[in-house]
Amino acid sequence: MSGGTVTRSSPGSVRGPVTTPVSRMAALARAELTLLGRSKATIIAAVLVPLGLPFSLRPVVDDMNVEDSGLSVGLVLLPAAIGFSLLFGVYSALTGIYTARREELVLKRLRTGELRDAEVVAGSALPVFAMGLVQCVVLAVGCTAFLDVPAPEAPHLAVLGVLLGLVMCSALGAVTASVTRTVESAQVTTMPFVLVSMVASGVAVPLELLPDRVASGFELLPLSPVITLVRGGWSGDLSAYEALGALATALAWTVLAVFAVRRWFRWEPRR
């Protein structure tokens, strides 16, 4: 075994190396990472925007009187920062990447090789997924250092929230790419989910500040359980019932998004 491949041979015959799913996706991820590094627009949207937006909210959060709801400025901005990273660094970025690769016939060519359909989708997402994970860690450390955020009381909840958010937003990016005609139009097709999540999922405005009936409805939105788990992981205020409810909602949306990718993902250019 060498380089992620297995060589099989039988008497009287010579066969080439047989690749594994891991090696195939790793090779695709390396190629995708190279292409990602060449796209300045994607790097700016996926890296700089999520890092800058949360701190631009600081004056707004200072005027919210979040202390009345048992929160602090740091406990508002930290989940917001992670939410922005998921929305712009993962969801929007992958929507554009999948659309570009489809229109350039890259996805179609990849399907003619050894890669399975699931490996093409997952391998293409790996660099952005990893970048989003690193970004979330950097934002968490930065908010902890500069916004006086205490150490997380229930770190397992925060970790689960981030991982579910990464998988969910990756799948939703693939779904959105299915209805996106061009890379330029991806800025339009991603806008509804981004705006709804920013306003109603607790990213820009914590659900704790909203009326109970409104907040209960907004808790069912895709990104809401992720933000709830991240904030609850740091504050430690989530009860077991609330944590399980958020996990169930996040898992349901993730499964639904993966099913939608399997059912409606487009491999041919849209004409």
Side-chain angles (χ1 to χ4, degrees), residues 54-123:
F55 297 98
S56 67
L57 287 177
R58 178 65 184 267
V60 178
V61 176
D62 286 336
D63 294 335
M64 286 183 181
N65 295 322
V66 294
E67 290 80 6
D68 296 340
S69 300
L71 299 174
S72 65
V73 172
L75 287 178
V76 173
L77 289 180
L78 192 155
I82 292 176
F84 282 127
S85 179
L86 295 174
L87 289 172
F88 292 98
V90 179
Y91 169 70
S92 297
L94 277 178
T95 299
I97 287 171
Y98 283 130
T99 302
R101 304 297 179 262
R102 183 194 68 220
E103 296 302 306
E104 294 166 356
L105 300 178
V106 173
L107 297 181
K108 185 177 181 179
R109 290 195 295 268
L110 287 173
R111 295 184 83 195
T112 63
E114 293 183 323
L115 285 160
R116 309 295 188 267
D117 287 357
E119 294 169 3
V120 173
V121 176

Short mmCIF file of all heavy atoms in Angstrom, two decimals, residues 54-123:
data_model
loop_
_atom_site.label_atom_id
_atom_site.label_comp_id
_atom_site.label_asym_id
_atom_site.label_seq_id
_atom_site.Cartn_x
_atom_site.Cartn_y
_atom_site.Cartn_z
N PRO A 54 -18.76 40.52 11.79
CA PRO A 54 -19.20 40.47 13.19
C PRO A 54 -18.79 41.71 13.99
O PRO A 54 -19.57 42.22 14.79
CB PRO A 54 -18.51 39.22 13.74
CG PRO A 54 -18.23 38.40 12.54
CD PRO A 54 -17.94 39.35 11.43
N PHE A 55 -17.58 42.21 13.75
CA PHE A 55 -17.11 43.34 14.54
C PHE A 55 -17.75 44.65 14.09
O PHE A 55 -17.78 45.62 14.84
CB PHE A 55 -15.59 43.41 14.46
CG PHE A 55 -14.92 42.20 15.04
CD1 PHE A 55 -14.48 41.17 14.23
CD2 PHE A 55 -14.77 42.05 16.42
CE1 PHE A 55 -13.89 40.03 14.76
CE2 PHE A 55 -14.18 40.93 16.97
CZ PHE A 55 -13.74 39.92 16.13
N SER A 56 -18.28 44.67 12.86
CA SER A 56 -19.02 45.85 12.42
C SER A 56 -20.37 45.93 13.12
O SER A 56 -21.00 46.99 13.13
CB SER A 56 -19.21 45.81 10.91
OG SER A 56 -20.08 44.74 10.53
N LEU A 57 -20.80 44.82 13.72
CA LEU A 57 -22.07 44.81 14.46
C LEU A 57 -21.92 45.31 15.89
O LEU A 57 -22.93 45.49 16.58
CB LEU A 57 -22.65 43.39 14.49
CG LEU A 57 -23.26 42.82 13.21
CD1 LEU A 57 -23.70 41.39 13.46
CD2 LEU A 57 -24.43 43.66 12.75
N ARG A 58 -20.70 45.52 16.33
CA ARG A 58 -20.47 45.87 17.73
C ARG A 58 -21.29 47.09 18.18
O ARG A 58 -21.94 47.04 19.24
CB ARG A 58 -18.97 46.12 17.96
CG ARG A 58 -18.61 46.54 19.39
CD ARG A 58 -18.90 45.43 20.38
NE ARG A 58 -18.64 45.82 21.74
CZ ARG A 58 -17.48 45.63 22.38
NH1 ARG A 58 -16.48 45.04 21.76
NH2 ARG A 58 -17.32 45.99 23.63
N PRO A 59 -21.33 48.20 17.42
CA PRO A 59 -22.13 49.34 17.87
C PRO A 59 -23.62 49.02 17.96
O PRO A 59 -24.31 49.51 18.86
CB PRO A 59 -21.87 50.40 16.78
CG PRO A 59 -20.57 50.00 16.17
CD PRO A 59 -20.56 48.52 16.20
N VAL A 60 -24.11 48.17 17.04
CA VAL A 60 -25.53 47.79 17.07
C VAL A 60 -25.83 46.96 18.31
O VAL A 60 -26.84 47.17 19.00
CB VAL A 60 -25.90 47.02 15.79
CG1 VAL A 60 -27.37 46.59 15.83
CG2 VAL A 60 -25.63 47.88 14.56
N VAL A 61 -24.97 46.00 18.60
CA VAL A 61 -25.18 45.14 19.76
C VAL A 61 -25.11 45.94 21.05
O VAL A 61 -25.85 45.67 22.01
CB VAL A 61 -24.14 44.00 19.76
CG1 VAL A 61 -24.27 43.14 21.02
CG2 VAL A 61 -24.30 43.13 18.52
N ASP A 62 -24.23 46.93 21.10
CA ASP A 62 -24.12 47.76 22.30
C ASP A 62 -25.43 48.48 22.62
O ASP A 62 -25.71 48.79 23.79
CB ASP A 62 -23.00 48.79 22.12
CG ASP A 62 -21.61 48.15 22.21
OD1 ASP A 62 -21.50 47.08 22.84
OD2 ASP A 62 -20.67 48.71 21.63
N ASP A 63 -26.24 48.74 21.59
CA ASP A 63 -27.51 49.45 21.78
C ASP A 63 -28.69 48.52 22.03
O ASP A 63 -29.82 48.97 22.18
CB ASP A 63 -27.82 50.31 20.55
CG ASP A 63 -26.81 51.44 20.37
OD1 ASP A 63 -26.21 51.85 21.39
OD2 ASP A 63 -26.61 51.89 19.23
N MET A 64 -28.45 47.22 22.06
CA MET A 64 -29.54 46.26 22.20
C MET A 64 -29.92 45.97 23.65
O MET A 64 -30.94 45.33 23.90
CB MET A 64 -29.16 44.93 21.53
CG MET A 64 -29.17 44.94 20.03
SD MET A 64 -28.78 43.29 19.37
CE MET A 64 -28.82 43.60 17.61
N ASN A 65 -29.10 46.38 24.60
CA ASN A 65 -29.35 46.05 26.00
C ASN A 65 -29.50 44.54 26.19
O ASN A 65 -30.46 44.05 26.79
CB ASN A 65 -30.61 46.77 26.51
CG ASN A 65 -30.43 48.27 26.52
OD1 ASN A 65 -29.37 48.79 26.84
ND2 ASN A 65 -31.49 48.99 26.14
N VAL A 66 -28.54 43.80 25.65
CA VAL A 66 -28.62 42.35 25.69
C VAL A 66 -28.48 41.81 27.12
O VAL A 66 -28.87 40.68 27.40
CB VAL A 66 -27.55 41.72 24.79
CG1 VAL A 66 -27.83 42.04 23.33
CG2 VAL A 66 -26.15 42.19 25.18
N GLU A 67 -27.92 42.63 28.01
CA GLU A 67 -27.75 42.18 29.40
C GLU A 67 -29.10 41.86 30.05
O GLU A 67 -29.18 41.02 30.94
CB GLU A 67 -27.02 43.24 30.21
CG GLU A 67 -25.55 43.42 29.85
CD GLU A 67 -25.37 44.27 28.60
OE1 GLU A 67 -26.38 44.81 28.10
OE2 GLU A 67 -24.22 44.41 28.14
N ASP A 68 -30.17 42.53 29.59
CA ASP A 68 -31.49 42.27 30.16
C ASP A 68 -31.98 40.86 29.86
O ASP A 68 -32.87 40.35 30.54
CB ASP A 68 -32.50 43.28 29.61
CG ASP A 68 -32.18 44.71 30.02
OD1 ASP A 68 -31.43 44.88 31.01
OD2 ASP A 68 -32.66 45.66 29.36
N SER A 69 -31.41 40.23 28.84
CA SER A 69 -31.79 38.86 28.48
C SER A 69 -30.78 37.84 28.96
O SER A 69 -30.81 36.68 28.55
CB SER A 69 -31.95 38.74 26.96
OG SER A 69 -32.94 39.62 26.47
N GLY A 70 -29.86 38.26 29.83
CA GLY A 70 -28.87 37.35 30.36
C GLY A 70 -27.71 37.09 29.44
O GLY A 70 -26.95 36.13 29.64
N LEU A 71 -27.54 37.93 28.41
CA LEU A 71 -26.45 37.77 27.46
C LEU A 71 -25.40 38.86 27.67
O LEU A 71 -25.60 39.78 28.44
CB LEU A 71 -26.98 37.83 26.01
CG LEU A 71 -28.00 36.77 25.61
CD1 LEU A 71 -28.54 37.05 24.21
CD2 LEU A 71 -27.38 35.37 25.66
N SER A 72 -24.32 38.73 26.96
CA SER A 72 -23.28 39.76 26.94
C SER A 72 -22.96 40.07 25.49
O SER A 72 -23.37 39.35 24.57
CB SER A 72 -22.02 39.29 27.68
OG SER A 72 -21.44 38.19 26.99
N VAL A 73 -22.23 41.14 25.28
CA VAL A 73 -21.85 41.50 23.91
C VAL A 73 -21.07 40.36 23.26
O VAL A 73 -21.28 40.01 22.10
CB VAL A 73 -21.03 42.80 23.90
CG1 VAL A 73 -20.47 43.08 22.51
CG2 VAL A 73 -21.89 43.97 24.37
N GLY A 74 -20.17 39.76 24.01
CA GLY A 74 -19.37 38.66 23.47
C GLY A 74 -20.21 37.45 23.10
O GLY A 74 -19.98 36.81 22.07
N LEU A 75 -21.21 37.13 23.93
CA LEU A 75 -22.07 35.97 23.66
C LEU A 75 -23.03 36.22 22.51
O LEU A 75 -23.67 35.29 22.03
CB LEU A 75 -22.85 35.59 24.92
CG LEU A 75 -22.04 34.91 26.03
CD1 LEU A 75 -22.91 34.65 27.25
CD2 LEU A 75 -21.42 33.61 25.52
N VAL A 76 -23.15 37.46 22.08
CA VAL A 76 -23.93 37.77 20.89
C VAL A 76 -23.03 37.75 19.65
O VAL A 76 -23.37 37.17 18.62
CB VAL A 76 -24.62 39.15 21.02
CG1 VAL A 76 -25.29 39.54 19.71
CG2 VAL A 76 -25.65 39.12 22.14
N LEU A 77 -21.86 38.36 19.77
CA LEU A 77 -20.98 38.49 18.61
C LEU A 77 -20.29 37.18 18.24
O LEU A 77 -20.03 36.93 17.06
CB LEU A 77 -19.94 39.58 18.86
CG LEU A 77 -20.46 41.02 18.87
CD1 LEU A 77 -19.32 41.99 19.13
CD2 LEU A 77 -21.14 41.35 17.54
N LEU A 78 -19.97 36.34 19.22
CA LEU A 78 -19.27 35.09 18.89
C LEU A 78 -20.14 34.17 18.03
O LEU A 78 -19.68 33.72 16.97
CB LEU A 78 -18.84 34.39 20.18
CG LEU A 78 -17.86 33.22 20.01
CD1 LEU A 78 -17.06 33.03 21.28
CD2 LEU A 78 -18.58 31.92 19.68
N PRO A 79 -21.39 33.84 18.41
CA PRO A 79 -22.23 33.04 17.51
C PRO A 79 -22.50 33.74 16.19
O PRO A 79 -22.61 33.09 15.15
CB PRO A 79 -23.53 32.85 18.31
CG PRO A 79 -23.15 33.07 19.73
CD PRO A 79 -22.08 34.11 19.70
N ALA A 80 -22.61 35.09 16.23
CA ALA A 80 -22.81 35.83 14.99
C ALA A 80 -21.62 35.65 14.06
O ALA A 80 -21.78 35.46 12.85
CB ALA A 80 -23.03 37.31 15.29
N ALA A 81 -20.42 35.70 14.61
CA ALA A 81 -19.21 35.51 13.80
C ALA A 81 -19.20 34.14 13.15
O ALA A 81 -18.88 34.00 11.96
CB ALA A 81 -17.98 35.70 14.68
N ILE A 82 -19.53 33.11 13.92
CA ILE A 82 -19.57 31.76 13.36
C ILE A 82 -20.68 31.64 12.33
O ILE A 82 -20.53 30.99 11.28
CB ILE A 82 -19.74 30.73 14.49
CG1 ILE A 82 -18.46 30.70 15.35
CG2 ILE A 82 -20.06 29.34 13.94
CD1 ILE A 82 -18.52 29.80 16.54
N GLY A 83 -21.82 32.28 12.59
CA GLY A 83 -22.91 32.27 11.62
C GLY A 83 -22.51 32.92 10.30
O GLY A 83 -22.81 32.41 9.22
N PHE A 84 -21.82 34.06 10.37
CA PHE A 84 -21.35 34.72 9.15
C PHE A 84 -20.36 33.82 8.40
O PHE A 84 -20.35 33.79 7.16
CB PHE A 84 -20.69 36.05 9.49
CG PHE A 84 -21.67 37.15 9.79
CD1 PHE A 84 -21.57 37.88 10.96
CD2 PHE A 84 -22.69 37.45 8.90
CE1 PHE A 84 -22.47 38.89 11.24
CE2 PHE A 84 -23.60 38.46 9.17
CZ PHE A 84 -23.49 39.19 10.34
N SER A 85 -19.51 33.13 9.13
CA SER A 85 -18.55 32.23 8.50
C SER A 85 -19.27 31.11 7.75
O SER A 85 -18.89 30.76 6.62
CB SER A 85 -17.62 31.64 9.55
OG SER A 85 -16.70 30.75 8.97
N LEU A 86 -20.30 30.55 8.36
CA LEU A 86 -21.07 29.49 7.70
C LEU A 86 -21.82 30.00 6.49
O LEU A 86 -21.88 29.33 5.45
CB LEU A 86 -22.05 28.86 8.70
CG LEU A 86 -21.43 28.11 9.89
CD1 LEU A 86 -22.52 27.68 10.87
CD2 LEU A 86 -20.63 26.91 9.42
N LEU A 87 -22.38 31.20 6.60
CA LEU A 87 -23.18 31.74 5.50
C LEU A 87 -22.33 32.18 4.31
O LEU A 87 -22.64 31.84 3.16
CB LEU A 87 -24.02 32.93 6.00
CG LEU A 87 -25.18 32.59 6.93
CD1 LEU A 87 -25.80 33.86 7.50
CD2 LEU A 87 -26.24 31.78 6.19
N PHE A 88 -21.27 32.93 4.59
CA PHE A 88 -20.47 33.48 3.50
C PHE A 88 -19.27 32.60 3.16
O PHE A 88 -18.95 32.43 1.98
CB PHE A 88 -19.98 34.89 3.88
CG PHE A 88 -21.09 35.90 3.96
CD1 PHE A 88 -21.64 36.24 5.18
CD2 PHE A 88 -21.58 36.50 2.82
CE1 PHE A 88 -22.67 37.17 5.26
CE2 PHE A 88 -22.61 37.44 2.89
CZ PHE A 88 -23.15 37.77 4.11
N GLY A 89 -18.62 32.06 4.18
CA GLY A 89 -17.42 31.27 3.93
C GLY A 89 -17.69 29.88 3.43
O GLY A 89 -16.83 29.27 2.78
N VAL A 90 -18.88 29.33 3.72
CA VAL A 90 -19.19 27.97 3.30
C VAL A 90 -20.36 27.95 2.31
O VAL A 90 -20.19 27.55 1.14
CB VAL A 90 -19.53 27.09 4.53
CG1 VAL A 90 -19.88 25.66 4.09
CG2 VAL A 90 -18.35 27.05 5.50
N TYR A 91 -21.52 28.38 2.75
CA TYR A 91 -22.72 28.27 1.89
C TYR A 91 -22.59 29.05 0.59
O TYR A 91 -22.71 28.49 -0.50
CB TYR A 91 -23.94 28.76 2.69
CG TYR A 91 -25.17 28.95 1.85
CD1 TYR A 91 -25.86 27.86 1.31
CD2 TYR A 91 -25.66 30.23 1.59
CE1 TYR A 91 -26.99 28.05 0.53
CE2 TYR A 91 -26.79 30.42 0.81
CZ TYR A 91 -27.44 29.32 0.28
OH TYR A 91 -28.56 29.51 -0.49
N SER A 92 -22.33 30.35 0.68
CA SER A 92 -22.24 31.18 -0.53
C SER A 92 -21.06 30.77 -1.40
O SER A 92 -21.16 30.72 -2.63
CB SER A 92 -22.14 32.66 -0.15
OG SER A 92 -23.30 33.10 0.53
N ALA A 93 -19.92 30.49 -0.75
CA ALA A 93 -18.73 30.11 -1.51
C ALA A 93 -18.95 28.81 -2.29
O ALA A 93 -18.60 28.72 -3.48
CB ALA A 93 -17.53 29.97 -0.57
N LEU A 94 -19.55 27.81 -1.64
CA LEU A 94 -19.76 26.54 -2.32
C LEU A 94 -20.81 26.64 -3.41
O LEU A 94 -20.72 25.94 -4.43
CB LEU A 94 -20.15 25.46 -1.31
CG LEU A 94 -18.98 24.80 -0.58
CD1 LEU A 94 -19.48 23.79 0.43
CD2 LEU A 94 -18.04 24.13 -1.57
N THR A 95 -21.81 27.48 -3.22
CA THR A 95 -22.79 27.67 -4.29
C THR A 95 -22.11 28.16 -5.56
O THR A 95 -22.35 27.65 -6.66
CB THR A 95 -23.87 28.68 -3.86
OG1 THR A 95 -24.56 28.19 -2.70
CG2 THR A 95 -24.88 28.91 -4.98
N GLY A 96 -21.23 29.14 -5.41
CA GLY A 96 -20.49 29.64 -6.57
C GLY A 96 -19.54 28.61 -7.15
O GLY A 96 -19.41 28.48 -8.37
N ILE A 97 -18.87 27.84 -6.29
CA ILE A 97 -17.91 26.84 -6.77
C ILE A 97 -18.61 25.73 -7.54
O ILE A 97 -18.19 25.35 -8.65
CB ILE A 97 -17.12 26.27 -5.58
CG1 ILE A 97 -16.13 27.32 -5.06
CG2 ILE A 97 -16.39 25.00 -5.98
CD1 ILE A 97 -15.46 26.93 -3.77
N TYR A 98 -19.69 25.18 -6.98
CA TYR A 98 -20.41 24.12 -7.68
C TYR A 98 -20.96 24.61 -9.01
O TYR A 98 -20.93 23.90 -10.02
CB TYR A 98 -21.57 23.61 -6.82
CG TYR A 98 -21.15 22.68 -5.69
CD1 TYR A 98 -21.57 22.90 -4.39
CD2 TYR A 98 -20.35 21.57 -5.94
CE1 TYR A 98 -21.20 22.06 -3.36
CE2 TYR A 98 -19.97 20.72 -4.92
CZ TYR A 98 -20.40 20.96 -3.63
OH TYR A 98 -20.03 20.12 -2.62
N THR A 99 -21.48 25.83 -9.02
CA THR A 99 -22.03 26.39 -10.25
C THR A 99 -20.93 26.55 -11.30
O THR A 99 -21.11 26.19 -12.47
CB THR A 99 -22.69 27.74 -9.98
OG1 THR A 99 -23.73 27.59 -8.99
CG2 THR A 99 -23.31 28.32 -11.25
N ALA A 100 -19.78 27.09 -10.89
CA ALA A 100 -18.68 27.29 -11.84
C ALA A 100 -18.18 25.96 -12.39
O ALA A 100 -17.97 25.83 -13.61
CB ALA A 100 -17.55 28.04 -11.14
N ARG A 101 -18.00 24.96 -11.54
CA ARG A 101 -17.49 23.67 -12.01
C ARG A 101 -18.50 22.98 -12.94
O ARG A 101 -18.11 22.32 -13.90
CB ARG A 101 -17.17 22.76 -10.82
CG ARG A 101 -16.21 23.33 -9.82
CD ARG A 101 -14.84 23.61 -10.40
NE ARG A 101 -13.98 24.19 -9.38
CZ ARG A 101 -13.75 25.50 -9.25
NH1 ARG A 101 -14.29 26.34 -10.11
NH2 ARG A 101 -12.99 25.97 -8.28
N ARG A 102 -19.77 23.16 -12.66
CA ARG A 102 -20.79 22.55 -13.53
C ARG A 102 -20.80 23.22 -14.90
O ARG A 102 -20.81 22.55 -15.94
CB ARG A 102 -22.17 22.70 -12.89
CG ARG A 102 -23.30 22.03 -13.68
CD ARG A 102 -24.64 22.49 -13.18
NE ARG A 102 -24.86 23.89 -13.49
CZ ARG A 102 -25.45 24.76 -12.66
NH1 ARG A 102 -25.85 24.37 -11.46
NH2 ARG A 102 -25.63 26.01 -13.04
N GLU A 103 -20.80 24.55 -14.92
CA GLU A 103 -20.86 25.28 -16.20
C GLU A 103 -19.59 25.09 -17.02
O GLU A 103 -19.61 25.21 -18.24
CB GLU A 103 -21.11 26.76 -15.94
CG GLU A 103 -22.46 27.06 -15.29
CD GLU A 103 -23.61 26.54 -16.13
OE1 GLU A 103 -23.69 26.89 -17.31
OE2 GLU A 103 -24.45 25.79 -15.58
N GLU A 104 -18.47 24.82 -16.36
CA GLU A 104 -17.21 24.56 -17.07
C GLU A 104 -17.05 23.09 -17.45
O GLU A 104 -15.99 22.69 -17.95
CB GLU A 104 -16.03 24.98 -16.18
CG GLU A 104 -15.98 26.48 -15.89
CD GLU A 104 -15.04 26.82 -14.76
OE1 GLU A 104 -14.49 25.88 -14.14
OE2 GLU A 104 -14.85 28.01 -14.48
N LEU A 105 -18.08 22.29 -17.21
CA LEU A 105 -18.11 20.86 -17.53
C LEU A 105 -17.14 20.04 -16.70
O LEU A 105 -16.85 18.89 -17.02
CB LEU A 105 -17.83 20.62 -19.02
CG LEU A 105 -18.81 21.28 -20.01
CD1 LEU A 105 -18.37 20.99 -21.44
CD2 LEU A 105 -20.22 20.79 -19.79
N VAL A 106 -16.61 20.62 -15.63
CA VAL A 106 -15.69 19.89 -14.77
C VAL A 106 -16.40 18.73 -14.08
O VAL A 106 -15.89 17.60 -14.02
CB VAL A 106 -15.05 20.84 -13.73
CG1 VAL A 106 -14.22 20.04 -12.72
CG2 VAL A 106 -14.21 21.89 -14.41
N LEU A 107 -17.58 18.98 -13.54
CA LEU A 107 -18.32 17.93 -12.85
C LEU A 107 -18.67 16.79 -13.80
O LEU A 107 -18.59 15.61 -13.42
CB LEU A 107 -19.60 18.52 -12.23
CG LEU A 107 -19.42 19.59 -11.16
CD1 LEU A 107 -20.78 20.06 -10.64
CD2 LEU A 107 -18.58 19.08 -10.01
N LYS A 108 -19.05 17.13 -15.01
CA LYS A 108 -19.40 16.10 -15.99
C LYS A 108 -18.21 15.22 -16.31
O LYS A 108 -18.33 13.99 -16.42
CB LYS A 108 -19.94 16.77 -17.25
CG LYS A 108 -20.46 15.79 -18.29
CD LYS A 108 -21.05 16.53 -19.47
CE LYS A 108 -21.60 15.54 -20.51
NZ LYS A 108 -22.19 16.27 -21.67
N ARG A 109 -17.03 15.84 -16.45
CA ARG A 109 -15.83 15.05 -16.75
C ARG A 109 -15.42 14.19 -15.57
O ARG A 109 -14.97 13.05 -15.75
CB ARG A 109 -14.68 15.99 -17.15
CG ARG A 109 -14.87 16.65 -18.51
CD ARG A 109 -13.55 17.26 -18.99
NE ARG A 109 -13.11 18.36 -18.14
CZ ARG A 109 -13.43 19.62 -18.35
NH1 ARG A 109 -14.23 19.95 -19.36
NH2 ARG A 109 -12.98 20.57 -17.55
N LEU A 110 -15.58 14.72 -14.37
CA LEU A 110 -15.21 13.93 -13.19
C LEU A 110 -16.05 12.67 -13.07
O LEU A 110 -15.56 11.63 -12.59
CB LEU A 110 -15.36 14.79 -11.93
CG LEU A 110 -14.32 15.90 -11.73
CD1 LEU A 110 -14.71 16.77 -10.54
CD2 LEU A 110 -12.93 15.31 -11.52
N ARG A 111 -17.31 12.74 -13.50
CA ARG A 111 -18.19 11.58 -13.38
C ARG A 111 -17.79 10.45 -14.32
O ARG A 111 -18.21 9.30 -14.13
CB ARG A 111 -19.63 11.97 -13.69
CG ARG A 111 -20.24 12.93 -12.70
CD ARG A 111 -21.70 13.16 -13.03
NE ARG A 111 -22.55 12.12 -12.51
CZ ARG A 111 -23.83 11.93 -12.90
NH1 ARG A 111 -24.33 12.71 -13.84
NH2 ARG A 111 -24.55 10.98 -12.37
N THR A 112 -17.03 10.77 -15.36
CA THR A 112 -16.61 9.73 -16.31
C THR A 112 -15.40 8.94 -15.81
O THR A 112 -15.01 7.96 -16.43
CB THR A 112 -16.26 10.36 -17.68
OG1 THR A 112 -15.13 11.25 -17.52
CG2 THR A 112 -17.44 11.16 -18.22
N GLY A 113 -14.80 9.38 -14.72
CA GLY A 113 -13.65 8.68 -14.15
C GLY A 113 -14.05 7.74 -13.04
O GLY A 113 -15.18 7.25 -12.97
N GLU A 114 -13.12 7.53 -12.11
CA GLU A 114 -13.36 6.59 -11.02
C GLU A 114 -14.22 7.17 -9.91
O GLU A 114 -14.79 6.43 -9.11
CB GLU A 114 -12.01 6.15 -10.41
CG GLU A 114 -11.14 5.32 -11.35
CD GLU A 114 -9.87 4.86 -10.67
OE1 GLU A 114 -9.31 5.64 -9.88
OE2 GLU A 114 -9.44 3.74 -10.92
N LEU A 115 -14.29 8.49 -9.83
CA LEU A 115 -15.01 9.13 -8.74
C LEU A 115 -16.50 8.82 -8.79
O LEU A 115 -17.14 8.90 -9.84
CB LEU A 115 -14.82 10.65 -8.79
CG LEU A 115 -13.46 11.18 -8.33
CD1 LEU A 115 -13.22 12.57 -8.87
CD2 LEU A 115 -13.38 11.17 -6.80
N ARG A 116 -17.06 8.47 -7.64
CA ARG A 116 -18.52 8.32 -7.53
C ARG A 116 -19.15 9.70 -7.37
O ARG A 116 -18.48 10.67 -7.04
CB ARG A 116 -18.86 7.44 -6.32
CG ARG A 116 -18.13 6.12 -6.26
CD ARG A 116 -18.51 5.20 -7.42
NE ARG A 116 -17.93 3.87 -7.23
CZ ARG A 116 -16.79 3.47 -7.71
NH1 ARG A 116 -16.02 4.33 -8.37
NH2 ARG A 116 -16.34 2.23 -7.53
N ASP A 117 -20.46 9.77 -7.58
CA ASP A 117 -21.14 11.07 -7.49
C ASP A 117 -20.95 11.71 -6.12
O ASP A 117 -20.66 12.91 -6.01
CB ASP A 117 -22.64 10.88 -7.77
CG ASP A 117 -22.91 10.60 -9.25
OD1 ASP A 117 -21.95 10.62 -10.04
OD2 ASP A 117 -24.09 10.36 -9.59
N ALA A 118 -21.13 10.92 -5.07
CA ALA A 118 -20.99 11.46 -3.71
C ALA A 118 -19.56 11.94 -3.47
O ALA A 118 -19.34 12.93 -2.76
CB ALA A 118 -21.38 10.40 -2.68
N GLU A 119 -18.58 11.25 -4.04
CA GLU A 119 -17.18 11.64 -3.87
C GLU A 119 -16.89 12.96 -4.58
O GLU A 119 -16.11 13.78 -4.09
CB GLU A 119 -16.27 10.54 -4.40
CG GLU A 119 -16.36 9.25 -3.60
CD GLU A 119 -15.65 8.09 -4.28
OE1 GLU A 119 -15.03 8.30 -5.35
OE2 GLU A 119 -15.72 6.97 -3.75
N VAL A 120 -17.51 13.17 -5.74
CA VAL A 120 -17.33 14.44 -6.46
C VAL A 120 -17.86 15.60 -5.64
O VAL A 120 -17.20 16.63 -5.47
CB VAL A 120 -18.02 14.38 -7.83
CG1 VAL A 120 -17.98 15.76 -8.50
CG2 VAL A 120 -17.36 13.34 -8.72
N VAL A 121 -19.07 15.44 -5.11
CA VAL A 121 -19.69 16.51 -4.32
C VAL A 121 -18.90 16.76 -3.04
O VAL A 121 -18.58 17.91 -2.70
CB VAL A 121 -21.16 16.16 -4.00
CG1 VAL A 121 -21.78 17.22 -3.10
CG2 VAL A 121 -21.97 16.03 -5.28
N ALA A 122 -18.56 15.70 -2.33
CA ALA A 122 -17.84 15.85 -1.06
C ALA A 122 -16.42 16.34 -1.27
O ALA A 122 -15.94 17.22 -0.54
CB ALA A 122 -17.84 14.53 -0.30
N GLY A 123 -15.72 15.77 -2.25
CA GLY A 123 -14.34 16.18 -2.50
C GLY A 123 -14.23 17.64 -2.90
O GLY A 123 -13.30 18.34 -2.49
#
